[in-house]
């Protein structure tokens, strides 16, 4: 009987040690994770812009008025490394308006290669924001390896337009098919 009791106590002691070790390990892991999150939230802050900074405006996908994906879908896409296939109009105009007021941003570089589709009213709003940026005495530069009608419409509002030497401009007119 006493051997059974000692065996039970031995296994009980071993079980308590294993359970205590697990708790300590997981609590320490949680504490370390919490410390990293706090450091990440409170360190650095926003980075300061240097003088004569150029805003690179890379318009990708369709230009849309509002997103169609939910916040959950956007988070999952970002976690999986997928890219959005659209750019929101209000994001573009808000960034250009903020850049117009920021004295450290002296130019905008438009990258239009991956811009796909946009309605003429939306293009006009972006063009208006680009014109306001230029009116503040700042420079707009457009670059592309090829321009379709809509891409060239935005590029035409730049001070300088650069086209890849092997590129082309395809102008059909907005009234065409």
């Amino acid at each position: 009987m006493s051997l059974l009791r000692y065996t039970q106590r031995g296994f009980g002691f071993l079980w308590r040690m294993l359970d205590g070790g697990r708790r300590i390990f997981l609590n320490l892991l949680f504490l370390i994770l919490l410390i990293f999150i706090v450091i990440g939230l409170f360190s650095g802050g926003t980075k300061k812009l240097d003088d004569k900074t150029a805003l690179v405006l890379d318009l990708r996908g369709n230009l849309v008025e509002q997103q169609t994906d939910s916040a959950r879908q956007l988070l999952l896409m970002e976690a999986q490394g997928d890219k959005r296939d659209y750019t929101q109009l209000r994001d573009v105009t808000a960034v250009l308006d903020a850049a117009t007021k920021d004295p450290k941003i002296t130019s905008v570089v438009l990258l239009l290669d991956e811009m796909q589709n946009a309605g003429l009213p939306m293009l006009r709003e972006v063009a208006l924001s680009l014109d306001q940026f230029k009116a503040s005495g700042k420079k707009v530069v457009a670059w592309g390896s090829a321009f379709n009608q809509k891409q060239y419409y935005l590029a035409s509002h730049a001070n300088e337009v650069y086209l890849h030497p092997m590129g082309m401009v395809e102008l059909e007119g907005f009234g065409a098919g």
Side-chain angles (χ1 to χ4, degrees):
M1 191 75 158
S2 77
L3 180 63
L4 183 61
R5 205 156 94 200
Y6 286 124
T7 306
Q8 284 177 337
R9 283 185 181 179
F11 279 121
F13 176 74
L14 183 64
W15 183 255
R16 285 190 301 276
M17 291 300 290
L18 204 65
D19 186 47
R22 177 189 57 86
R23 287 181 183 188
I24 289 171
F25 175 76
L26 289 177
N27 284 340
L28 285 175
L29 188 66
F30 176 73
L31 186 61
I32 289 170
L33 180 67
L34 192 62
I35 288 171
F36 278 121
I37 289 172
V38 169
I39 288 172
L41 289 175
F42 294 112
S43 68
T46 58
K47 294 184 180 180
K48 303 292 181 190
L49 290 177
D50 294 332
D51 291 335
K52 298 183 180 179
T53 298
L55 169 67
V56 178
L57 193 57
D58 189 3
L59 300 177
R60 296 175 178 257
N62 297 327
L63 190 61
V64 297
E65 291 206 22
Q66 77 180 51
Q67 65 187 16
T68 56
D69 299 324
S70 68
R72 179 177 177 237
Q73 288 172 323
L74 288 174
L75 187 62
L76 284 174
M77 284 173 41
E78 188 174 318
Q80 294 171 349
D82 295 339
K83 295 181 181 176
R84 291 187 310 194
D85 59 347
Y86 61 86
T87 303
Q88 280 188 254
L89 173 65
R90 70 174 172 217
D91 292 343
V92 175
T93 56
V95 163
L96 284 170
D97 291 343
T100 301
K101 297 171 187 168
D102 193 334
K104 293 189 176 199
I105 297 178
T106 58
S107 61
V108 167
V109 178
L110 282 175
L111 301 178
L112 299 169
D113 275 343
E114 295 187 34
M115 188 182 103
Q116 295 171 359
N117 198 9
L120 190 56
M122 288 186 278
L123 290 172
R124 285 184 179 147
E125 282 192 51
V126 174
L128 178 65
S129 292
L130 287 171
D131 290 339
Q132 289 172 348
F133 183 83
K134 285 185 348 184
S136 69
K138 299 177 180 184
K139 187 176 178 180
V140 177
V141 176
W143 186 91
S145 58
F147 292 119
N148 63 23
Q149 179 75 26
K150 294 172 181 179
Q151 292 167 336
Y152 189 72
Y153 178 81
L154 289 181
S156 69
H157 289 270
N159 298 89
E160 298 175 15
V161 178
Y162 293 98
L163 179 65
H164 187 279
M166 298 296 289
M168 66 176 193
V169 178
E170 182 182 346
L171 302 177
E172 298 175 3
F174 285 108

